[in-house]
Amino acid sequence: MTLAQGAEFALTDAEPSGTPADVVDKLKRRVGRGRLRRRHRGAANQGMHWLYGTSWGVPYGIAAAGGPVPPEVSGPVFGLLVWGAGLAQLPAVGVAEPPWKRSPASLASEALFHVVYGIGAGAALRAFSPR
């Protein structure tokens, strides 16, 4: 997913989302540690992005391993479920607009990237599953 997003940013001059760093900033302030410093936003953004994806990938692997649905199908569906969870979680935390206030193009782009994420998760599941 990160590689696909990087390619989009390079091709379109789009900017990466700062939402993961916004979540870190909110958490940091909530526990009384002050605001996230500007110089740490990039690292916090990447760290939270990878932590969130990994935290979803582990239960997916446990639930889907050896199941009746092949990873080539369950992976993309899983990616869309993660996207849907984010569409609910991020506005609830106060770091993103609700989906009905966002453009269809941005929602479609995010959905596609999460399908890519799910394909990667399914490929990892296939690679690590006993044959």
Side-chain angles (χ1 to χ4, degrees), residues 95-111:
V95 296
E97 292 287 327
W100 57 87
K101 290 187 175 182
R102 297 188 43 214
S103 75
S106 74
L107 293 170
S109 175
E110 279 184 15

Side-chain angles (χ1 to χ4, degrees), residues 28-108:
K28 195 168 182 261
R29 286 186 286 136
R30 177 74 47 102
V31 298
R33 303 294 295 171
R35 294 194 66 90
L36 180 65
R37 294 182 183 198
R38 183 168 293 171
R39 70 175 185 259
H40 297 144
R41 283 190 67 83
N45 209 53
Q46 280 299 311
M48 180 58 83
H49 183 81
W50 284 81
L51 177 65
Y52 186 78
T54 303
S55 70
W56 275 99
V58 170
Y60 163 69
I62 293 168
V69 180
E72 295 78 11
V73 175
S74 67
V77 170
F78 160 70
L80 289 172
L81 290 173
V82 171
W83 174 61
L87 288 177
Q89 293 167 338
L90 296 173
V93 174
V95 296
E97 292 287 327
W100 57 87
K101 290 187 175 182
R102 297 188 43 214
S103 75
S106 74
L107 293 170

